[in-house]
Amino acid sequence: EVETEQVRELAQRRTTRDQAAVDASLVTMVEVSRTDANMIPAMMDAVRVEASLGEICDALRAEWGEYREPARF
């Protein structure tokens, strides 16, 4: 029941937010990630325009990839 409610709330939020602002904030965040600058302000800007945690993580994963610990025997 909780999962269903969260999915519904996220879908509703996505329909009412400014998608162009979300996209722009994610692009800015990725650009900042390519420098030595502090990424927290750019991440907070993305959150303020209602980018989801999944969208933020996906943008960074697309830039950096995903760490997989090598198997050790």
Side-chain angles (χ1 to χ4, degrees):
E1 186 177 313
V2 172
E3 180 184 2
T4 303
E5 177 63 23
Q6 289 294 316
V7 169
R8 185 192 63 72
E9 187 175 327
L10 181 59
Q12 179 183 6
R13 212 171 262 260
R14 284 184 172 168
T15 62
T16 60
R17 69 184 182 181
D18 182 356
Q19 188 61 43
V22 171
D23 294 340
S25 69
L26 293 174
V27 166
T28 300
M29 184 188 68
V30 170
E31 289 172 354
V32 170
S33 77
R34 294 175 182 154
T35 70
D36 291 334
N38 185 349
M39 286 184 50
I40 298 300
M43 289 177 131
M44 292 302 297
D45 289 341
V47 170
R48 285 185 188 104
V49 295
E50 298 188 353
S52 70
L53 179 59
E55 290 169 319
I56 292 169
C57 291
D58 288 343
L60 295 175
R61 242 183 247 116
E63 180 66 20
W64 293 335
E66 188 171 341
Y67 175 75
R68 301 258 182 202
E69 186 171 353
R72 297 179 192 192
F73 296 99

